[in-house]
Amino acid sequence: MNELSPNPAAIVIATARALIGDRLSTNDAIRQQHGRGEDTTTPTLPDAVAFVETTEEVVEIVKLCHQHGVAITPFGAGTSLEGHVNPVRAGLSLDLSRMTAVLEVNAEDMDCLIEPGVTRQQLNEYLRDQGLFFPVDPGSVCTIGGMCATRASGTNAVRYGTIRENVLGLEVVLADGRVIQTGGRTRKAANGYDLTRLFIGSEGTLGIITKVRLRLHGIPEAMTSAVCQFPSLEAAVNSVITTMQAGVPVARIELLDEVQMAACISYSKLEGYKPVPTLFLEFHGTEAGVVEQAELVEGITSEYGAEGFAWARDAESRNKLWKARHDAFWACLAAQPGSRGIATDVCVPISRLADALLGCKRDIEESGLMAPIVGHVGDGNFHTVILVEDGNPQALERAWELDKKIVKRALDLGGTCSGEHGIGLGKREFLEAEHGVEAMAVMRSLKVAMDPKGILNPGKIFRN
Amino acid sequence: MNELSPNPAAIVIATARALIGDRLSTNDAIRQQHGRGEDTTTPTLPDAVAFVETTEEVVEIVKLCHQHGVAITPFGAGTSLEGHVNPVRAGLSLDLSRMTAVLEVNAEDMDCLIEPGVTRQQLNEYLRDQGLFFPVDPGSVCTIGGMCATRASGTNAVRYGTIRENVLGLEVVLADGRVIQTGGRTRKAANGYDLTRLFIGSEGTLGIITKVRLRLHGIPEAMTSAVCQFPSLEAAVNSVITTMQAGVPVARIELLDEVQMAACISYSKLEGYKPVPTLFLEFHGTEAGVVEQAELVEGITSEYGAEGFAWARDAESRNKLWKARHDAFWACLAAQPGSRGIATDVCVPISRLADALLGCKRDIEESGLMAPIVGHVGDGNFHTVILVEDGNPQALERAWELDKKIVKRALDLGGTCSGEHGIGLGKREFLEAEHGVEAMAVMRSLKVAMDPKGILNPGKIFRN
C-alpha cells in the first residue's frame, strides 16, 4: 500500500464522506458500537460507519462499495443475537437507524409504508390513535428493517404470524445499487416470483431494505392476560400442547421455567408469583370471545394441576406482565452478574415440544450451567439463555457444547435450529445439517446471482 | 435431420419410454388434451406426454431433458386459465396427476405430506374423519401441486390465507435433476433463504414440485352460510368494504353481480333468489361466535339496503350454495352456448374495490360483451368471465381490449393484474408495468440461476 494506490476502503471512506459529511464516521467508539450485537461473538470493527438518511444515499454508497469491492454490513438497532451485524470483513457498517419516517398509513386498508429504522414501539405509538397496531413483537427495541432481514417473530406470532406474513412489500437496494420495489398493496397476488419473501430472512446478504410496507391489524375490542403456575415443567408444556391442539386462538402463550421465573420475579419485581414453571397468556377478541377463550384454557390448565389462573384485564397490569416477559433476557443476565448470554432458539412441531423442552432441561442440569428457559411455546419455539462469565473461555466452550446438544435434539425431532433469531455467524454450522447439501447449493446460487462480488454482509448464513 | 442424428425430443422419447413404458404417450388425443388448460389460448402440442408416478421417475426424465435441452411443461388437472400448461416449445408435457398418495397426516401437529397430484377434494375427503380440513379452495377440481405452482387461493383465503400461507415445505426436482427439500415441519423458522416461497407461484419455471407439506386446520365447531341481495352493485361492494374494515373474521365473502347471479340461478337451479347483485357469506367459529359475526354483517348489509339475509345452517343447503358458487365459471359458459371465457383476475386494496369493480362494470357495459362479475371481494379480488364466441377473432380482440382496460384501472388503483390465476402466457405483458424493469430483471436472474438451459416451462411469466 502506498500513496499512489490507496486501499479500496480508504477510497470508499473519502468519497462517502464527501457525500454525507460527518455522518460517515471513523471514530473508534462508534466503530466499536458497530462491532457486534447483543451476542457473545468476538467483535470485529468496520473501517467506518455510514449513518444514512435516504434511499439515494444508500444507493450511492452501495454503488461505491460495489465498484471497489468493499464489504457492507447493515446495522439497525444492534440487537442481533447471532452475529448478524459483525463486519467480519471490515468495510462499511451501514447504519439505517436514522431512517425513521412513517411515510404512509392507510387506515382503511390497514397498511403502512415506513423507513427501515422505525422500531415497532415507535410505529405502535404512532398508530395508537387510529385503532390499529402492528403485532409482530420480538420483545427487544429493534428496527423493523432488522426484523425483516432476520424473519423475526416473537410473542404474538402464534395468533398474527411472523414478519413474513405481515410484510406486503419492500424497497430494496441491490448489490450494484439498482433499486427495486417488491410486492404491493393488495392482500394477495399471483404475479411472478415472490421477491418480498426472498428478502425476508436473507439477513442483508441479498440487498439492503430501505422501505417496508406492513400489514396492520385492528386493536381488538377486548384483551385479557392471564398467568398460571404449574407443579412441573411437564405439566406446563402439556397444557400448551393441549391448548394448541384444541384450536384456541390464543394471542400469546409464553412459558417460563422456574429458573427464568425466579429471575423475572427478582428483576421485574413481580409480586404474588412463585418461582415455578409458569405460563403467561393473552387473549384477543370480542368481550364474549376472550372470556370464552380464557375459560377454555383455565379448564385445560387446571386439569394439569395448575393453580392461580390470575386474570389481568386492565392495561396497567397487562403491560407490567409483558414488560417482565420482554425483559427476560436482561433478567437472566442480572441473575448472574458479569455474564453474557448465548441464546438458543430451537423450534419443533408442537407434538414434539415436550420431548424437546424436557430434554433440553435435562441437558442443562447435566451441564451444571445456569440457563433459564423461556419460549413462544404456542409455535413450538423456545430459548435458553446459557449464562457465561465474560472472558471465561472454558465456560464458553461448555456453553457451546450444551447449545449443540439442544439443537441436535431439536433437529432429530423434526425441528429447526432457528425459530426467529436467524443464522448469522452463530448457526451456520447447523444449517447444512438441517437443509442438506443440495438446498444449501441452491441458496448459494441465489446469493451469487444477486451479489456476484459478495459485498453484502459477507460471512453470514454461509460458512464459505 | 437424418437417422444418424435423431432430434433431441426423439432421443428423450425413446429413452423415457424405456423407463416408464406406455406411460410415455405420443398418442394424438392425449397430446391434444395436454395442449392447453381451460383458457382461450391457442393449443400447442407436446411431442409426448409422460405420466410419472414417482419422484425418481421425475428425476430421470428431467435429467434426460436437461441433457438434451428438451422443454418440460408440468401438467396437473389442466384447469389453468392463463396458458400455464401449454407446451409452447413442444418437448414433454410432464403429467403429475397420477401422483396422488397422501403420505403422512400428523393430526396432532395439523400438517400432512402429500404428492402433488392430490386434489383438494381428495385431501378433504381423506381428512374428514380426523376433524381436520385444508381450506385453500380455488373452486375447480385442481391438483395441490398446480395450486402451489400458481399461488392459488379462492373463497376461503380471506380467513385462512392463500396456499402461500398454508404450505410448510416442498420437495422439488431442479432443472438438472437434483432433488431438494425446502421448509420443514415447524410453524415458523428463520433458517436461511425462503426457498419454499420462491417455488410457490413460480409456475413450474424453477423446478418440479414432487411433494407438498401442508398446514391443516381444525374443522370449526360451527359454520353458517348466508345470502343477501342488494338493490345495486354499489351497495353490495360498500357492504363488503365496511365488513372488512370492521374486522369481522368472515370465512368467505363472495360477490356475484346480477348477470352472474342470473347465470347461477339458471345453471344451478337456485330457488328463491332474484337476479340482482348478491353476497354469499360463510362464518366459522364457535356456536356463539358465528351468530355474533352473522348478526354484525346482517346489520351492515341492511344499512346498505340489502334484503333477505337468509341463513343456511345445515350442511346440505351450504353445500348447494357453494357448489353453485364454484360452478360460476361453467354457469357463465352455459349462459352463452358455444363460447369460451377469458377470465380476468385483478385484485386491489380493499378501499379501492368500489372504484375498480364499478369501473369494470361500466367498461363491460360499454363493450357490449357479456361478462358476468364474480369475486373473492374480501381480498379485493374479482373476476369477470368475458364470453367470446369460439372461433370469432373479432370478438376475441374486443374481449382482450376490455381485459386490458380492466387491468389498467386496477394497476392505477394500486392493484395487481393477478390475484390468484397467475401469469402464464396471458398476463406477461402486464407484469413489467406492475413490477418495473429492475424487479423483472431480478426475476430473470433467478430464473437463469435455477434453470440456465431454460428447459422448465419455457415462455411462461417472461415474454422473452
Side-chain angles (χ1 to χ4, degrees):
Chain A
M1 212 83 64
N2 57 47
E3 283 185 22
L4 291 174
S5 63
N7 74 43
I11 301 173
V12 165
I13 289 171
T15 317
R17 183 166 281 144
L19 189 73
I20 62 171
D22 61 6
R23 287 187 283 115
L24 190 286
S25 175
T26 52
N27 173 289
D28 264 0
I30 287 176
R31 286 164 62 216
Q32 263 158 29
Q33 281 165 16
H34 290 75
R36 74 165 165 193
E38 296 293 349
D39 45 58
T40 58
T41 55
T42 307
T44 47
L45 299 196
D47 294 308
V49 179
F51 293 91
V52 286
E53 293 183 348
T54 65
T55 298
E56 292 67 35
E57 288 180 359
V58 175
V59 167
E60 290 310 314
I61 286 171
V62 169
K63 279 184 179 168
L64 201 55
C65 289
H66 186 253
Q67 186 187 345
H68 296 284
V70 167
I72 303 172
T73 303
F75 192 98
T79 54
S80 166
L81 293 170
E82 294 295 355
H84 292 106
V85 300
N86 300 37
V88 292
R89 290 187 204 157
L92 287 195
S93 176
L94 190 75
D95 189 314
L96 297 126
S97 66
R98 297 186 186 179
M99 293 180 68
T100 57
V102 176
L103 301 167
E104 282 177 24
V105 175
N106 304 297
E108 69 277 29
D109 291 312
M110 299 206 280
D111 70 34
C112 68
L113 183 69
I114 61 166
E115 290 186 334
V118 174
T119 66
R120 60 180 188 86
Q121 288 89 346
Q122 286 167 345
L123 181 60
N124 279 325
E125 192 63 40
Y126 189 99
L127 293 171
R128 189 166 302 162
D129 295 344
Q130 304 185 52
L132 294 170
F133 81 117
F134 174 66
V136 187
D137 166 21
S140 60
V141 178
C142 45
T143 65
I144 289 171
M147 289 168 61
C148 290
T150 54
R151 204 180 297 134
S153 42
T155 60
N156 278 314
V158 64
R159 168 80 176 246
Y160 296 96
T162 73
I163 191 95
R164 187 179 73 193
E165 288 79 33
N166 286 284
V167 170
L168 290 166
L170 299 169
E171 178 183 87
V172 180
V173 178
L174 302 175
D176 57 5
R178 283 176 298 153
V179 181
I180 62 169
Q181 314 293 329
T182 76
R185 289 198 57 217
T186 58
R187 288 168 58 104
K188 64 180 197 180
N191 56 355
Y193 301 160
D194 191 345
L195 297 183
T196 304
R197 253 48 61 178
L198 183 64
F199 290 104
I200 299 291
S202 67
E203 306 191 359
T205 64
L206 299 179
I208 312 288
I209 295 168
T210 48
K211 288 196 183 79
V212 185
R213 187 174 292 280
L214 294 170
R215 187 168 175 175
L216 303 173
H217 297 258
I219 294 176
E221 181 187 324
M223 290 188 265
T224 307
S225 293
V227 177
C228 61
Q229 302 210 285
F230 290 84
S232 70
L233 193 57
E234 191 175 0
V237 175
N238 285 328
S239 292
V240 172
I241 295 173
T242 306
T243 299
M244 293 306 296
Q245 289 176 350
V248 185
V250 285
R252 290 166 155 167
I253 182 164
E254 298 284 308
L255 184 146
L256 297 81
D257 77 348
E258 71 283 3
V259 184
Q260 180 69 63
M261 194 61 193
C264 286
I265 288 171
S266 164
Y267 185 84
S268 298
K269 320 245 174 311
L270 292 179
E271 280 161 31
Y273 299 113
K274 291 184 234 168
V276 297
T278 302
L279 288 181
F280 286 11
L281 293 135
E282 193 162 274
F283 307 100
H284 293 179
T286 60
E287 292 290 350
V290 298
V291 171
E292 192 175 44
Q293 290 174 49
E295 285 177 350
L296 249 164
V297 176
E298 187 168 8
I300 290 167
T301 56
S302 72
E303 280 189 29
Y304 286 102
E307 44 181 65
F309 194 89
W311 293 29
R313 288 161 184 279
D314 62 299
E316 198 183 335
S317 310
R318 279 195 294 107
N319 289 344
K320 183 165 186 196
L321 193 66
W322 293 111
K323 176 87 169 57
R325 167 60 190 89
H326 285 148
D327 286 342
F329 183 71
W330 307 112
C332 291
L333 296 186
Q336 195 167 290
S339 295
R340 287 184 77 87
I342 295 180
T344 74
D345 177 33
V346 297
C347 185
V348 295
I350 198 80
S351 69
R352 305 303 183 90
L353 186 61
D355 288 345
L357 210 146
L358 301 173
C360 169
K361 185 75 183 173
R362 284 196 304 275
D363 292 338
I364 293 168
E365 285 164 359
E366 283 167 17
S367 76
L369 291 162
M370 182 171 179
I373 296 177
V374 60
H376 314 307
V377 280
D379 286 321
N381 180 209
F382 65 90
H383 312 295
T384 58
V385 179
I386 309 173
L387 293 168
V388 185
E389 194 190 342
D390 214 2
N392 178 341
Q394 287 81 16
L396 193 61
E397 199 172 313
R398 275 164 55 217
W400 284 122
E401 264 169 45
L402 174 57
D403 180 53
K404 281 180 194 171
K405 254 190 183 171
I406 295 167
V407 172
K408 184 175 182 313
R409 176 178 287 102
L411 296 187
D412 289 346
L413 292 169
T416 174
C417 67
S418 179
E420 56 180 17
H421 294 168
I423 303 304
L425 297 170
K427 294 279 184 286
R428 291 176 300 172
E429 65 173 293
F430 302 125
L431 209 57
E432 266 179 34
E434 188 171 332
H435 291 296
V437 173
E438 296 299 1
M440 287 302 298
V442 172
M443 292 191 201
R444 277 175 217 272
S445 73
L446 299 177
K447 168 71 177 174
V448 170
M450 301 285 294
D451 178 22
K453 290 190 171 185
I455 61 167
L456 296 177
N457 210 1
K460 312 304 160 62
I461 298 182
F462 307 106
R463 274 199 283 186
N464 46 53
Chain B
M1 211 83 61
N2 58 47
E3 282 185 23
L4 291 174
S5 63
N7 75 43
I11 301 173
V12 165
I13 289 170
T15 317
R17 183 166 282 142
L19 191 72
I20 62 170
D22 60 7
R23 287 187 283 113
L24 190 288
S25 174
T26 52
N27 172 290
D28 263 359
I30 287 176
R31 286 163 62 215
Q32 264 158 27
Q33 281 164 15
H34 290 75
R36 73 166 165 191
E38 295 294 349
D39 46 57
T40 57
T41 56
T42 307
T44 47
L45 298 197
D47 293 308
V49 179
F51 293 90
V52 286
E53 292 183 349
T54 63
T55 299
E56 293 66 35
E57 288 180 357
V58 175
V59 167
E60 290 310 314
I61 286 172
V62 168
K63 278 184 179 168
L64 201 54
C65 290
H66 186 255
Q67 186 189 342
H68 296 283
V70 167
I72 303 172
T73 302
F75 192 99
T79 54
S80 166
L81 294 170
E82 294 295 355
H84 292 106
V85 300
N86 299 38
V88 293
R89 292 188 204 157
L92 287 196
S93 177
L94 190 74
D95 189 314
L96 298 125
S97 66
R98 297 187 186 179
M99 292 179 69
T100 56
V102 176
L103 302 166
E104 282 176 25
V105 174
N106 304 295
E108 70 277 30
D109 292 312
M110 299 207 279
D111 70 34
C112 70
L113 182 69
I114 61 165
E115 289 186 335
V118 174
T119 66
R120 59 180 189 86
Q121 289 88 346
Q122 287 167 343
L123 180 60
N124 279 324
E125 192 62 39
Y126 190 99
L127 293 171
R128 190 167 301 165
D129 295 344
Q130 305 186 53
L132 295 170
F133 81 116
F134 173 66
V136 187
D137 165 22
S140 60
V141 178
C142 46
T143 65
I144 289 171
M147 290 169 63
C148 291
T150 55
R151 203 181 296 134
S153 41
T155 61
N156 278 314
V158 65
R159 168 81 176 246
Y160 297 94
T162 72
I163 191 98
R164 186 178 75 194
E165 289 77 33
N166 287 285
V167 170
L168 290 167
L170 299 170
E171 178 183 86
V172 180
V173 177
L174 302 176
D176 57 6
R178 284 177 297 153
V179 181
I180 62 169
Q181 313 293 329
T182 76
R185 290 199 55 216
T186 60
R187 287 168 58 103
K188 64 180 196 180
N191 56 354
Y193 301 161
D194 191 344
L195 298 182
T196 304
R197 254 46 64 177
L198 183 65
F199 290 104
I200 298 291
S202 68
E203 305 189 0
T205 65
L206 299 179
I208 312 288
I209 296 167
T210 48
K211 288 195 183 77
V212 185
R213 187 174 292 281
L214 293 170
R215 188 169 173 172
L216 303 172
H217 298 258
I219 293 175
E221 181 187 322
M223 289 189 265
T224 307
S225 294
V227 177
C228 61
Q229 302 212 285
F230 290 85
S232 70
L233 194 56
E234 191 174 1
V237 175
N238 285 328
S239 293
V240 173
I241 295 173
T242 306
T243 299
M244 293 307 296
Q245 289 176 350
V248 184
V250 284
R252 290 166 155 168
I253 181 164
E254 299 284 308
L255 184 146
L256 296 80
D257 78 349
E258 71 284 3
V259 185
Q260 181 69 64
M261 195 60 193
C264 285
I265 289 171
S266 164
Y267 185 84
S268 299
K269 319 248 175 307
L270 293 179
E271 280 162 31
Y273 299 113
K274 290 184 233 168
V276 297
T278 302
L279 288 182
F280 285 11
L281 294 134
E282 193 162 274
F283 307 101
H284 293 178
T286 59
E287 291 290 350
V290 298
V291 171
E292 192 175 45
Q293 291 175 47
E295 286 177 349
L296 250 164
V297 176
E298 186 167 10
I300 290 166
T301 55
S302 72
E303 279 187 31
Y304 286 102
E307 45 182 64
F309 194 88
W311 293 29
R313 287 160 186 279
D314 61 301
E316 198 184 335
S317 309
R318 281 196 292 106
N319 290 344
K320 182 163 186 198
L321 194 66
W322 294 110
K323 177 85 169 58
R325 166 61 190 89
H326 286 148
D327 287 342
F329 183 72
W330 307 112
C332 291
L333 296 186
Q336 196 168 288
S339 296
R340 286 185 78 87
I342 295 180
T344 73
D345 177 34
V346 296
C347 185
V348 295
I350 197 82
S351 68
R352 306 301 183 90
L353 185 61
D355 288 346
L357 209 145
L358 300 173
C360 169
K361 185 75 182 172
R362 284 196 304 275
D363 291 338
I364 293 168
E365 284 164 0
E366 284 166 18
S367 77
L369 292 162
M370 182 169 180
I373 296 177
V374 60
H376 314 306
V377 282
D379 285 321
N381 181 209
F382 64 91
H383 312 294
T384 57
V385 178
I386 310 173
L387 292 168
V388 184
E389 194 190 343
D390 215 2
N392 179 341
Q394 288 81 15
L396 194 60
E397 198 172 313
R398 276 164 55 217
W400 283 121
E401 265 170 43
L402 174 57
D403 180 54
K404 282 180 192 170
K405 254 189 180 170
I406 294 167
V407 173
K408 183 173 183 314
R409 175 178 287 104
L411 295 187
D412 289 346
L413 292 168
T416 175
C417 67
S418 179
E420 57 181 15
H421 294 169
I423 303 304
L425 297 170
K427 294 279 184 284
R428 292 175 301 171
E429 64 173 294
F430 301 125
L431 208 58
E432 265 178 35
E434 188 172 332
H435 291 296
V437 174
E438 296 300 1
M440 287 302 298
V442 172
M443 291 189 202
R444 276 175 217 274
S445 73
L446 299 177
K447 168 71 177 173
V448 170
M450 301 286 294
D451 178 23
K453 290 189 171 185
I455 61 167
L456 295 178
N457 211 0
K460 312 303 161 63
I461 298 183
F462 307 106
R463 273 199 284 187
N464 47 55

